[in-house]
Amino acid sequence: MNQRNPGDGEPEDPQPEDPQPEDPQPEDPQPGNGIGGDDSQEDEDQEALQTYGREALRFSGRMSAPLPVETSRNFRGTVRQLAKITGRETPVLVLVMVLATMSVSLTVIGPWLLGGATDIIVTGVRQGGIDTDRLQDRLLVIGGVFALAWALGHIQNYLLSGALQRSMFRLRETIEAKLHRLPLSYVDQHARGDLLSRVTNDIDNLSQSLQQTINQMLTAVLTLVGVTVMMLTVSPLLALVAFVTVPLSVVATRIFATRARPRFLRQWRTTGTLNAQAEDAVSGHAIVTAFGRQNQERQRFAEENAKLYDSSRAAQFLSSAMQPVMMLMGNLQFVSVAVVGGLRISSGAITIGDMQAMIQYTRQFAMPVQQVASMAATFQSGIASLERVVELLDVDEISADPEPAPDPPATRGRECSTTSTSPTSPKSP
Amino acid sequence: MSLRRLLKSHLAPHRRAIVLVLILQAGQTTTGLLLPGLNATLIDDGVLLGDQSVIWRMGGIMLLVSFIQVVLLTVAVWYGSEVAMAFGRDIRRDVFDRVTRYSTREIGRFGTPSLITRITNDTHQIQTLTALVTIMMITAPLTMIAGTVLAIRTDAGLSVLLLVVVPLEIVVTGAIIAAMTPAFQQMQERIDRINAVLREQITGVRVVRAFTREPTESARFAEANHRLTESSLRAARLMAAVFPAVTLLVNLSSVALLWIGADRIEDGSTQIGSLVAYLTYLLQILLAVTMAAFMVSMIPRAAVAAERIVEILDTESSVTPPTTPIQDFTRPGTVEFQEVGFRYPGAEHPVLEGVSFTAVPGETTAIIGSTGAGKTTLLTLAARLADASSGQVAVGGIDVRRLDPALLWGAIGYVPQRAYLFSGTVASNLRYGRPEATDEELWEALEVAQAAGFVQSMPDGLQNRIAQGGTNVSGGQRQRLSIARALVAQPAVYLFDDSFSALDLATEARLRQALEPRTRDAAVLVVAQRISTIETADQIIVLEGGITVGQGRHDELVDTCPTYAEIVSSQRGGETT
């Protein structure tokens, strides 16, 4: 099942590094490595530095504060990256939009047409006989509309999955190319487990969540627009009554979404730290065992694991809690349409068919919102992963010098010279 | 099935919370489904009879029901999140615990990268699925059951339609899922493959750069990437087909409902309100099925992950602690091998066979032989990183299998062939075996290991940062720090596995000289390649293919052991020319 080569645990022999005697600052200062800029945070946790790696700290230290400014900057970069990897699919995406619009339009006029059919029945009952021919014609038309909506929707989904998968292909390609251009100092100074987590777990999570969400979100948003238009057309009064709940849910969504996002980011960062620790304990297994340190390793892991549990649970609840909020909105709409609609039918202002259509619309209105809400969890988790991938893509590269030169090139020597991180003792070979 | 077993074993502690979630979700779904029924009464008794008080009253009840549903759902989501995440946490903990108990044998069997993926990524997969199940998927069967019951109660005559549509729905989605399962499985395998390639590129980054292997690596990656995209696409397209198909079914059944309903209303057996309620039930039941289909599509991935986790939990370590551990050494600082053999299960040839020797305090036992002769295995047996298949290994006079592991490992100072340093600082690495060691003791150990010089010149000295695996110091420095780490622990038995290989002869000579006073009361086992390292040893064991072909002092072996003489002449020849 799992065909990894067990022998590739470590680079066999790190080449003897040439001393760089003139290099006064062989270690840490890493001005341009994307995840810099949080050095101040590190001071808080000096103690933990003894036991955890500094990488681990970098992440955990950063987690302690929400850092809204920084994350929002990342967020913009992330959106840009998302646009970049999907850029080449623009023609397909435009076609997808057109098809989706057509398909959704046909779907949303359905309840209105069905309401008309109900009215034929109601009128027929009141007048002593249903006009079966008219009803049949009507129902056949409705069936045709639905079938066409399906066909268009199917093609749309087909095309969209292709575009998404191709985009993920390109993102993976980009990150692989990036790996070859990362300064060795970056690789050295960042826990390998965390780096691996970014290129495997995060990419994997991203493509999974995009695949699951984008399509549904697109349809959901269009349906929302279509249903709104239809509701206003069928009965402006009932529509307004139903929409009273919308601002409420927008506010609620906002609150939950903004709180969930940093927690997801934190969840993935803790995952990175945990990954790094697992890597340490497993790669150094012989030492851990021969020095009798299994218990300490287990305890350290348990602590980090508990942190991961806390952040995951919070993120999961906050993102899932949008669901009940949306449900409340849907229910309130349903009730208000039923009551106000009932009263208006009595006064003869609208028909039963209209009310039926409006009830279906409120369900259809609540549904995409609920869908978006439930997808939001997955989507946010994916975006958090994308942010981590973008951080990696933003790392300054080694110069485009084609030589694999172990001697530090003059250009951008800063990163390169840090590859010989250790000042070599004069005595050493 | 592994997934089921894992769920069973690891959800058991959360049974109460799960039952609670189930009850809450059932209550939530049922209350939600009461709304269309109440609305039917509102239409039939209020609207059609023109009774406004009924409209208001029913409206009030519906409002109340709505709030109850939302409260129930919120609480269900809270506990659902908790259960799912605790489940993931527990699995992760157990997998990690198990791995730390493994012997080198099991570690080698699974491979380090694979073990790490299992601890992190695989548990995450399962955790995600559990969250989806407890928070959403569970409502699908509940909605189907409650919806069908309520629909039949509202109007039994119309439920003929349900009998046709619901099975049809299940068949359609079932067929798509059946097609999707192998597609997802294949996708998972290809994800593994691509991750393996990336892993190799990162861990071997220096080798790749040094040999300009980037084009080869990129080509390898591109192929894996293509194959992954191909199978993801297949899976994604199947999945994309579900939603439009289900929508079509819902819509067509609504049309059919009106057609059947018209007749029944005409003959008075069905009321208008029921017809409207039915449309809503139909919509909700079928939506639930779609939701379920969507969630089920995640199961194959989780099943693969579960299998890999269960594989770890099912693998017992071949090294188990004794039931009544012995707490004292009878002859501290000695190592005795009696007819020791080691073989991997199913392997044709043993790695070691019939090895016997005794190492006493203050003496050095050197082990020499070609690659694959069993030298490293011999040392790992002394440290009980694995257990001998035959014979007996005793440390301090007691069989290692009967010793308290803490006592044994406290007495061993192990310097592995591949010096591994942990992420942290120089000091945290040195104190690994004895956290209470003072700075002076660290410096002493560094002096002996010929490492004081370069540690002093590091900007932060003892507090200088060490990257994971020790990749930010050179191979020779890593070796010397690794030796110092063993010295700090003040063991009674030293195991040096080719630990001087990256040092030049002069440094090595100084190191060995400094080592001598420190090892006066300890047995020293040295695996070496160089004759110069071992010629002064008190006892030399020459291994070939796992068998002792010579045992004695340098002078004796030169004359009596052809294998040894050959090694000597090849190296001496090389040195003189």
Side-chain angles (χ1 to χ4, degrees), chain B residues 16 38 310 362 403:
Chain B
R16 280 172 60 185
L38 293 168
V310 167
L403 269 176

Side-chain angles (χ1 to χ4, degrees), chain B residues 135 156 240 483 553:
Chain B
I135 293 168
I483 293 168
R553 301 182 69 89

Side-chain angles (χ1 to χ4, degrees), chain A residues 122 125-126 341-343 345-348 352 355, chain B residues 39-55 57-58 271-273:
Chain A
V122 175
V125 171
R126 286 199 176 135
L343 296 172
I345 295 170
S346 314
S347 68
I352 291 201
M355 183 187 171
Chain B
N39 188 38
T41 315
L42 183 146
I43 292 175
D44 293 336
D45 298 353
V47 176
L48 293 178
L49 301 178
D51 188 345
Q52 294 213 352
S53 66
V54 174
I55 297 180
R57 200 176 64 237
M58 295 317 288
Q271 298 226 311
I272 288 280

Side-chain angles (χ1 to χ4, degrees), chain B residues 70-341:
Chain B
V70 167
V71 171
L72 289 175
L73 178 60
T74 310
V75 184
V77 165
W78 173 265
Y79 283 107
S81 310
E82 192 174 277
V83 166
M85 298 305 143
F87 178 64
R89 177 198 59 194
D90 294 353
I91 292 179
R92 230 177 349 251
R93 179 199 58 210
D94 288 356
V95 173
F96 185 82
D97 279 11
R98 177 53 60 92
V99 170
T100 57
R101 282 170 219 278
Y102 277 171
S103 75
T104 46
R105 202 180 257 205
E106 289 82 38
I107 298 278
R109 208 187 96 196
F110 286 110
T112 305
S114 162
L115 285 173
I116 294 162
T117 318
R118 291 173 201 231
I119 293 169
T120 57
N121 197 8
D122 289 340
T123 43
H124 181 77
Q125 293 285 341
I126 291 184
Q127 176 182 302
T128 307
L129 178 79
T130 319
L132 276 171
V133 169
T134 51
I135 293 168
M136 296 175 72
M137 193 166 151
I138 218 170
T139 59
L142 294 172
T143 304
M144 274 175 69
I145 297 166
T148 312
V149 170
L150 286 171
I152 291 171
R153 265 196 50 196
T154 308
D155 191 322
L158 283 176
S159 32
V160 181
L161 193 66
L162 284 178
L163 291 181
V164 177
V165 175
V166 172
L168 192 65
E169 168 80 358
I170 290 172
V171 167
V172 169
T173 43
I176 294 178
I177 289 165
M180 233 153 31
T181 310
F184 271 102
Q185 245 149 20
Q186 191 188 46
M187 190 174 103
Q188 183 64 43
E189 276 160 28
R190 292 180 178 183
I191 288 174
D192 283 350
R193 169 76 194 136
I194 212 161
N195 287 356
V197 173
L198 285 171
R199 210 172 265 284
E200 281 169 31
Q201 288 186 5
I202 290 177
T203 50
V205 62
R206 284 172 203 281
V207 180
V208 172
R209 300 266 169 99
F211 294 94
T212 14
R213 292 245 330 255
E214 288 94 339
T216 330
E217 284 299 322
S218 293
R220 218 154 69 90
F221 178 85
E223 206 225 311
N225 199 5
H226 271 293
R227 286 165 57 88
L228 172 61
T229 306
E230 186 190 284
S231 57
S232 323
L233 198 53
R234 196 167 331 136
R237 284 191 170 148
L238 277 168
M239 201 148 127
V242 179
F243 192 71
V246 171
T247 312
L248 180 66
L249 256 171
V250 179
N251 287 335
L252 290 184
S253 47
S254 304
V255 173
L257 179 73
L258 284 184
W259 183 242
I260 302 169
D263 280 349
R264 291 182 55 83
I265 287 175
E266 190 146 48
D267 62 28
S269 49
T270 293
Q271 298 226 311
I272 288 280
S274 304
L275 197 67
V276 177
Y278 239 87
L279 277 176
T280 317
Y281 283 136
L282 213 52
L283 196 67
Q284 288 193 329
I285 293 170
L286 298 179
L287 282 176
V289 181
T290 325
M291 189 81 88
F294 169 66
M295 307 277 169
V296 165
S297 70
M298 293 198 61
I299 289 181
R301 282 198 75 173
V304 173
E307 212 165 293
R308 299 203 296 206
I309 287 169
V310 167
E311 210 182 330
I312 288 191
L313 296 178
D314 279 352
T315 305
E316 295 290 336
S317 176
S318 56
V319 171
T320 49
T323 40
T324 47
I326 294 177
Q327 305 288 351
D328 293 298
F329 292 125
T330 51
R331 291 189 294 282
T334 62
V335 176
E336 293 148 276
F337 273 55
Q338 278 171 34
E339 289 297 317
V340 170

Side-chain angles (χ1 to χ4, degrees), chain A residues 14-128:
Chain A
Q15 63 274 57
E17 270 135 63
D18 292 327
Q20 276 309 113
E22 75 278 10
D23 183 5
Q25 43 166 60
E27 276 280 301
D28 221 343
Q30 265 277 299
N33 72 6
I35 65 164
D38 50 276
D39 291 323
S40 56
Q41 300 249 347
E42 290 184 19
D43 301 333
E44 303 164 3
D45 303 85
Q46 277 304 323
E47 277 178 325
L49 201 69
Q50 305 273 332
T51 34
Y52 294 83
R54 193 179 286 193
E55 299 340 311
L57 248 198
R58 245 212 172 104
F59 296 111
S60 61
R62 220 155 70 126
M63 281 186 276
S64 53
L67 292 175
V69 181
E70 186 217 40
T71 41
S72 71
R73 184 206 64 196
N74 277 356
F75 191 63
R76 229 170 292 140
T78 306
V79 171
R80 212 175 28 244
Q81 187 65 36
L82 196 61
K84 209 163 102 190
I85 55 173
T86 51
R88 265 203 260 167
E89 301 294 337
T90 313
V92 181
L93 291 178
V94 168
L95 184 57
V96 163
M97 291 293 282
V98 172
L99 286 170
T101 312
M102 285 160 66
S103 167
V104 168
S105 308
L106 290 173
T107 309
V108 295
I109 58 168
W112 176 64
L113 293 172
L114 282 172
T118 303
D119 280 342
I120 295 175
I121 299 172
V122 175
T123 323
V125 171
R126 286 199 176 135
Q127 292 171 357

Side-chain angles (χ1 to χ4, degrees), chain A residues 168-225:
Chain A
M168 291 331 294
F169 173 85
R170 279 193 289 274
L171 180 62
R172 283 193 294 263
E173 205 172 39
T174 312
I175 197 120
E176 194 257 358
K178 180 79 189 185
L179 281 184
H180 297 307
R181 307 223 56 80
L182 276 181
L184 283 177
S185 59
Y186 181 89
V187 182
D188 285 343
Q189 296 188 352
H190 293 80
R192 212 166 48 204
D194 185 68
L195 188 59
L196 275 170
S197 190
R198 282 174 204 246
V199 300
T200 58
N201 295 0
D202 282 317
I203 292 249
D204 197 15
N205 182 51
L206 171 68
S207 62
Q208 240 199 95
S209 45
L210 285 190
Q211 190 181 310
Q212 282 168 17
T213 54
I214 293 277
N215 203 358
Q216 291 211 37
M217 286 222 194
L218 174 66
T219 319
V221 169
L222 286 173
T223 306
L224 208 59
V225 175

